[in-house]
Amino acid sequence: MDPVPALDEPLKKVLGPATAKVMAEHLGLHTVGDLLHHYPRRYEERGQLTHLADLPMDEHVTVVAQVADARLHTFASSRAPRGKGQRLEVTITDGSGRLQLVFFGAGVHKPHKELLPGTRAMFAGKVSVFNRRLQLAHPAYELLRGDAEETVETWAGALIPIYPATAKLESWKIGKALQTVLPSAQEAADPLPGPLREGRGLVTLPEALLKIHRPHTKADIEEARARLKWDEAFVLQVALARRRHADAQLPAVPRRPRPDGILAAFDGRLPFTLTEGQRKVSEEIFADLATDHPMHRLLQGEVGSGKTMVALRAMLAVVDAGGQAAMLAPTEVLAQQHHRSVTEMMGDLAQGGMLGGADDATKVVLLTGSMGAAARRQALLDLATGEAGIVIGTHALIEDKVQFHDLGLVVVDEQHRFGVEQRDALRGKGKQPPHLLVMTATPIPRTVAMTVFGDLETSVLDQLPAGRSPIASHVVPAADKPHFLARAWERVREEVEKGHQAYVVCPRIGDEEDGAKAKKKSPEDEAEKRPPLAVLDTADQLARGPLAGLRVDVLHGRMPPDDKDAVMRRFAAGEVDVLVATTVIEVGVNVPNATAMVIMDADRFGVSQLHQLRGRVGRGSAPGLCLLVTEMPEASPARQRLNAVASTLDGFELSRIDLEQRREGDVLGQAQSGTRSSLRMLAVIDDEEVIAEAREEAARIVASDPDLERLPALRTALDALLDEEREQYLEKG
């Protein structure tokens, strides 16, 4: 039997079962290769201490600091009623700030002996607040003693790698484990083709791994990072280039609209002119639809930029060419909304086979999971016979029973809410692969689009249609200035008095079983983290308090679908003044008369989500107003995030801010396959140049050698990147 390659060796054989178990369960590291690619987050110089002033709340941190002061206190408690309880308080400093460490009970003896003033050590623990001061309770620590043979200079100048760690495994223990496996780095197969590596002056992979874990100088770290970033960008771009290459080989039916067909009839009736952007993007789509391999296009458009109009014209072009188009929406509320707006826009062109239908008309059917049996049977029949040219639905469209006569185009709305399997199942319903148009209202910076959606061509709609109104956004600091919140409710009343309507958005519904799952928390935790405001409680308080006399209704995801639809219809018809809702209204809900939105606990939402929610107002001719209510203090990162949202309506700018504040892993993991991001070194915002260059190199290599027969090490790296789940993701696109 062949020996296992050194990098595939399971960690439990090398490090022992207990450490390996923690690494597997908490860090997702299973083999020697996994551990070698677990890179330091940063480096500490023993002589240059980390900034205690910048510690993040509620995170596990590792700090290098010096003990300034240590005091042992005794106190009475339920366990030690005679004043025998002991608490050790140690103050550490790094010149930028001070931090308190606390140890209790029997845990005080060892640190009391070891943590004497003047001692340097590494401390690891979770940052919490007690009596308004930052502290680490019971931190793990490692004393930094210079070995006898080390001079003071080399000891103080040494670079200590600080690894992403967990409460169960501190950074220095990970460092010791790496010391054990580092010799295996010599056997790492290099995925970069030699000429490419030499042409760009990059070090070899074994050298990069040694330098990233055991750097002697800062230049070592830079060299290693430059090389490892290239690996990540290049291997991912090769995977995407192979996907594009394979797609280009697939056959598809070209779909060209007839000059006197339903699209021409529809365009002839439009009561407004398309924006320049809508025309340009439509032309790109029509050119793709006319080719004999499947279109794979991502349509990004700001909230309210008219993506639905562009998608509808693409669907009508396919109907003209004798095919059918399916639009997949993430929720029933949204599917019903799309169905309503499409049939309204098309008028009698949507009444195929009915009395009063236009000559060129087709049928537009809705298919959702909660439809009655008779309506569902009719919809399925219309699809199978080809009577319905357009179907709009939820994942009910994917079920086995659904048969199409000739599926030519799949439009997926709000990409990030759909699993890959669902898109794939729908595409499998065509006789040949249908064309695919993916729409998203979450603007994606170019680098992310290249990295995540690199197998899709991208079109961007960045103009708002004429007649759309600007949205003014303001942060309402409810804790610092309670009268601002009172004024917010007055503004809602004023909008309603002018004949308009308003949304109030809350983070949760409020009929959850409170307390059943709640863990015991310390009093300061309680203050920091009260439960997010709920729709049902808020609606009740508003109807009895500041909005008394107005017609207030609620909408949330756990309501039966018919009830949801009924509430949305009443709101759209102007029979409800204020709709208190969860984020079910986030995408696609279109009520032009709604001009104001109050978002409660706005700090609990992400930047993109706030931008999406805000896009629900100002959809008519009256200006929109969005009020972001928060209790977070002014200096907090949450407030800075809200200030950013209030300061710009540019979704691309906001998506950059969002990405800089979150780790890329969240973005890539979610958009790719939900697995941990493969990007450990590459920062998709900062490394735009590397990604763009890697994309070009990858396209060149795949064009000349699609199966990578001449590059076995690159194939191996691809297999490692594309574990099964990711492989399926790219296969299914």
Side-chain angles (χ1 to χ4, degrees):
M1 210 175 110
D2 291 340
V4 177
L7 271 63
D8 294 338
E9 189 79 53
L11 286 173
K12 55 176 179 267
K13 289 197 172 169
V14 187
L15 301 177
T19 307
K21 185 169 187 259
V22 176
M23 285 194 171
E25 285 176 5
H26 295 274
L27 296 169
L29 308 175
H30 303 277
T31 65
V32 168
D34 291 345
L35 181 53
L36 285 172
H37 288 293
H38 186 72
Y39 307 132
R41 180 178 283 159
R42 56 191 166 82
Y43 300 85
E44 289 296 356
E45 291 177 71
R46 284 190 174 120
Q48 263 190 349
L49 304 178
T50 185
H51 285 291
L52 292 180
D54 304 333
L55 288 180
M57 272 298 296
D58 277 341
E59 278 192 29
H60 279 281
V61 296
T62 303
V63 295
V64 178
Q66 183 167 339
V67 176
D69 182 38
R71 294 171 189 222
L72 189 63
H73 302 274
T74 54
F75 60 89
S77 72
S78 55
R79 286 189 184 168
R82 294 189 187 155
K84 295 281 173 60
Q86 289 192 308
R87 181 174 79 247
L88 176 66
E89 290 179 1
V90 178
T91 305
I92 58 173
T93 179
D94 66 351
S96 77
R98 296 165 86 81
L99 178 66
Q100 192 167 51
L101 317 177
V102 287
F103 302 87
F104 291 101
V108 303
H109 304 307
K110 185 166 174 274
H112 189 215
K113 285 208 296 269
E114 294 182 336
L115 297 179
L116 304 172
T119 308
R120 281 176 171 336
M122 278 203 282
F123 302 92
K126 189 173 179 182
V127 182
S128 58
V129 170
F130 183 71
N131 282 346
R132 295 184 170 262
R133 288 170 64 191
L134 293 183
Q135 68 167 27
L136 297 182
H138 284 283
Y141 63 88
E142 174 97 332
L143 301 179
L144 295 175
R145 301 188 179 94
D147 292 342
E149 63 270 21
E150 276 188 320
T151 65
V152 173
E153 282 75 27
T154 59
W155 186 84
L159 293 161
I160 306 167
I162 303 292
Y163 290 93
T166 76
K168 297 255 170 35
L169 198 65
E170 293 88 14
S171 169
W172 53 86
K173 290 185 181 161
I174 296 172
K176 283 176 180 165
L178 266 150
Q179 199 68 47
T180 310
V181 302
L182 210 49
S184 307
Q186 293 302 341
E187 297 180 46
D190 201 324
L192 288 193
L196 189 160
R197 186 172 54 71
E198 286 149 22
R200 295 188 174 274
L202 299 167
V203 299
T204 64
L205 181 57
E207 191 180 338
L209 290 171
L210 287 170
K211 284 183 167 172
I212 201 79
H213 292 298
R214 291 291 170 268
H216 294 299
T217 62
K218 288 182 178 168
D220 283 353
I221 299 170
E222 286 314 304
E223 278 186 8
R225 279 190 169 148
R227 163 61 215 247
L228 295 168
K229 277 179 182 180
W230 249 93
D231 273 18
E232 287 177 6
F234 179 69
V235 174
L236 186 59
Q237 291 301 335
V238 167
L240 292 164
R242 290 184 72 201
R243 180 82 200 91
R244 285 195 303 277
H245 184 270
D247 280 341
Q249 316 304 313
L250 289 173
V253 180
R255 310 279 179 175
R256 294 184 185 85
R258 299 199 315 275
D260 56 348
I262 190 170
L263 176 61
F266 176 77
D267 283 351
R269 301 167 172 210
L270 280 179
F272 50 83
T273 52
L274 297 173
T275 64
E276 186 53 43
Q278 284 174 318
R279 272 203 298 278
K280 183 174 120 309
V281 170
S282 289
E283 277 158 24
E284 291 171 350
I285 291 171
F286 292 153
D288 281 358
L289 290 173
T291 61
D292 53 10
H293 57 84
M295 163 171 84
H296 285 96
R297 190 167 281 280
L298 173 70
L299 171 57
Q300 310 196 109
E302 277 290 11
V303 175
S305 59
K307 291 184 300 299
T308 311
M309 173 59 70
V310 170
L312 176 55
R313 294 183 73 234
M315 293 196 286
L316 293 175
V318 169
V319 172
D320 255 353
Q324 291 171 294
M327 184 185 237
L328 198 54
T331 63
E332 293 210 348
V333 168
L334 193 51
Q336 286 160 340
Q337 178 94 29
H338 274 319
H339 182 254
R340 264 203 297 278
S341 57
V342 164
T343 47
E344 279 165 18
M345 283 195 268
M346 286 175 64
D348 58 3
L349 290 170
Q351 294 169 1
M354 299 182 219
L355 274 174
D359 295 345
D360 294 309
T362 185
K363 223 174 190 182
V364 179
V365 299
L366 176 69
L367 192 62
T368 63
S370 65
M371 282 168 75
R376 189 179 171 77
R377 257 199 314 278
Q378 185 59 52
L380 290 171
L381 186 65
D382 290 340
L383 286 179
T385 59
E387 185 88 4
I390 294 177
V391 58
I392 296 168
T394 54
H395 50 265
L397 280 176
I398 295 158
E399 290 171 13
D400 293 343
K401 293 192 198 87
V402 182
Q403 298 298 324
F404 288 85
H405 177 64
D406 177 16
L407 181 59
L409 170 67
V410 174
V411 179
V412 179
D413 189 16
E414 285 305 314
Q415 151 95 10
H416 61 280
R417 302 190 165 220
F418 266 110
V420 173
E421 294 74 18
Q422 291 147 317
R423 292 212 303 273
D424 189 49
L426 188 52
R427 273 166 56 183
K429 291 186 178 291
K431 295 187 175 67
Q432 283 193 319
H435 299 281
L436 174 69
L437 179 66
V438 171
M439 299 198 298
T440 175
T442 308
I444 303 162
R446 175 172 163 261
T447 39
V448 184
M450 282 194 299
T451 310
V452 181
F453 304 107
D455 55 339
L456 300 174
E457 298 299 324
T458 305
S459 296
V460 178
L461 275 177
D462 47 14
Q463 285 170 284
L464 288 185
R468 274 300 163 86
S469 304
I471 304 169
S473 305
H474 303 284
V475 177
V476 177
D480 316 351
K481 298 178 178 159
H483 59 285
F484 276 37
L485 183 58
R487 176 73 189 116
W489 301 127
E490 282 171 22
R491 283 291 290 114
V492 170
R493 273 190 174 284
E494 287 163 15
E495 288 302 309
V496 173
E497 278 159 17
K498 289 182 200 160
H500 298 306
Q501 292 159 277
Y503 297 100
V504 176
V505 182
C506 301
R508 67 188 182 105
I509 296 170
D511 56 1
E512 300 88 346
E513 288 175 30
D514 288 330
K517 294 178 186 155
K519 292 182 187 149
K520 272 198 73 155
K521 293 180 179 159
S522 65
E524 61 272 14
D525 266 0
E526 290 296 338
E528 284 289 315
K529 297 198 179 128
R530 63 161 174 73
L533 291 171
V535 166
L536 301 177
D537 309 340
T538 305
D540 192 39
Q541 287 160 10
L542 291 175
R544 285 184 301 168
L547 303 183
L550 301 187
R551 297 168 299 175
V552 177
D553 212 337
V554 299
L555 180 71
H556 58 74
R558 278 212 293 273
M559 288 163 66
D562 290 350
D563 293 2
K564 275 193 272 198
D565 196 40
V567 171
M568 272 319 300
R569 279 176 192 277
R570 285 203 302 276
F571 190 61
E575 294 162 20
V576 171
D577 298 321
V578 179
L579 186 61
V580 184
T582 56
T583 53
V584 289
I585 62 155
E586 181 183 347
V587 283
V589 173
N590 184 18
V591 179
N593 190 44
T595 53
M597 174 177 285
V598 181
I599 303 179
M600 307 304 292
D601 280 343
D603 47 273
R604 315 266 178 148
F605 299 98
V607 170
S608 305
Q609 206 173 20
L610 290 169
H611 184 58
Q612 284 275 8
L613 286 165
R614 161 171 73 182
R616 301 300 112 217
V617 294
R619 299 177 78 86
S621 51
L625 171 70
C626 177
L627 301 174
L628 306 165
V629 179
T630 178
E631 293 186 356
M632 285 307 202
E634 193 153 358
S636 63
R639 270 289 277 283
Q640 288 160 10
R641 223 174 45 234
L642 296 180
N643 291 340
V645 173
S647 68
T648 178
L649 289 171
D650 180 342
F652 287 91
E653 177 55 32
L654 286 174
S655 67
R656 284 188 82 95
I657 294 168
D658 195 18
L659 202 54
E660 281 160 3
Q661 291 187 337
R662 291 157 47 185
R663 296 189 314 283
E664 275 89 7
D666 303 349
V667 177
L668 301 182
Q670 185 186 23
Q672 295 216 342
S673 60
T675 54
R676 213 157 53 97
S677 162
S678 59
L679 302 190
R680 297 184 176 88
M681 194 55 81
L682 195 70
V684 287
I685 288 286
D686 302 338
D687 297 319
E688 182 160 359
E689 220 169 283
V690 175
I691 292 168
E693 288 174 16
R695 184 179 166 99
E696 279 171 32
E697 293 277 13
R700 207 169 43 72
I701 280 170
V702 170
S704 65
D705 182 8
D707 293 328
L708 308 179
E709 285 168 358
R710 299 192 291 279
L711 298 167
L714 177 54
R715 273 209 74 109
T716 308
L718 261 188
D719 294 341
L721 168 78
L722 305 174
D723 51 37
E724 277 174 55
E725 196 173 356
R726 253 210 177 71
E727 182 74 81
Q728 285 171 357
Y729 162 73
L730 287 169
E731 277 309 308
K732 292 174 180 175

